Amino acid sequence: MSADGHERGPDRRDVVTIAALTFGGVGAALSLWPFFDQANPHQGTEPRAGVEVDLTPIAAGQTITVQWQGKPVFIRHRTVEEIAAMRAVGVERLHDSLARNPAHPTTALALDANRTVEDHAQWLLVVGICTHLGCVLTPNPPAHIRAEGAAFFCACHAARFDTSGRVVGGPAATNLPIPPYQFLSATRLRLG
């Protein structure tokens, strides 16, 4: 307000200050754009598709490893005896009672049937990373560890998991997660 009581408009100095601040703000935003833009996928990058796996060459009792999203996924062709033994385990005997299978509710129990797909109980898929500290598991442990009922073993800290991917010993507290997958046919599946 001026001395005579009239409201005064912005003078030249105010206009220059506002213009300089606006120019500086726009410049700062433009200079940061490359940092934000680099997080976007490259234009030539295909979206991540699922991994298809042919199950035909996997013999009963054998485990193979495939890579999915940078992680090892174990695919085990379980024997009839392994399935029967896993189905006989009661939830009260498990270290972790949750199925950890995205195909079921998060509260689903770790029954063997909740860790596989109906009508495909012979196929077990688990992410092959120990739930204790993230070491990559051994899908075919030594005989003395297999004799204890372990199908997957962590050489880092001796965590052991059964042929349903459930904790049976060692420091791990949670079962191995089941990756999302679907059967395309009786002998072919897609991870992801």
Side-chain angles (χ1 to χ4, degrees):
M1 202 171 273
S2 65
D4 62 1
H6 291 46
E7 194 168 316
R8 74 178 179 104
D11 63 12
R12 185 174 176 188
R13 183 176 294 165
D14 293 337
V15 172
V16 170
T17 302
I18 292 170
L21 289 173
T22 302
F23 184 74
V26 169
L30 288 174
S31 69
L32 291 175
W33 176 249
F35 295 108
F36 293 111
D37 188 48
Q38 61 86 27
N40 291 326
H42 186 271
Q43 293 297 326
T45 304
E46 294 286 325
R48 279 204 168 162
V51 175
E52 287 192 21
V53 181
D54 180 12
L55 304 172
T56 308
I58 308 170
Q62 182 183 12
T63 302
I64 67 160
T65 305
V66 297
Q67 289 294 314
W68 173 69
Q69 294 187 344
K71 300 175 202 162
V73 171
F74 299 149
I75 301 174
R76 181 165 184 87
H77 187 173
R78 302 187 311 169
T79 64
V80 173
E81 296 80 17
E82 288 173 335
I83 296 167
M86 293 301 99
R87 298 275 162 118
V89 175
V91 177
E92 68 282 351
R93 291 181 32 206
L94 299 174
H95 294 268
D96 178 12
S97 64
L98 298 177
R100 306 204 185 275
N101 184 343
H104 294 286
T106 56
T107 57
L109 296 177
L111 301 169
D112 185 70
N114 289 340
R115 306 262 308 149
T116 58
V117 172
E118 189 175 351
D119 298 328
H120 297 282
Q122 72 273 30
W123 298 107
L124 175 74
L125 279 78
V126 293
V127 176
I129 298 175
C130 185
T131 57
H132 175 236
L133 288 178
C135 296
V136 174
L137 298 172
T138 301
N140 297 301
H144 70 283
I145 293 171
R146 281 196 313 271
E148 297 173 5
F152 310 107
F153 175 68
C154 178
C156 298
H157 303 102
R160 296 173 299 285
F161 303 87
D162 65 13
T163 52
S164 192
R166 301 173 299 200
V167 179
V168 292
T174 57
N175 299 326
L176 296 175
I178 306 294
Y181 68 96
Q182 65 181 10
F183 279 87
L184 304 174
S185 72
T187 59
R188 195 158 194 79
L189 64 80
R190 176 181 291 134
L191 273 166

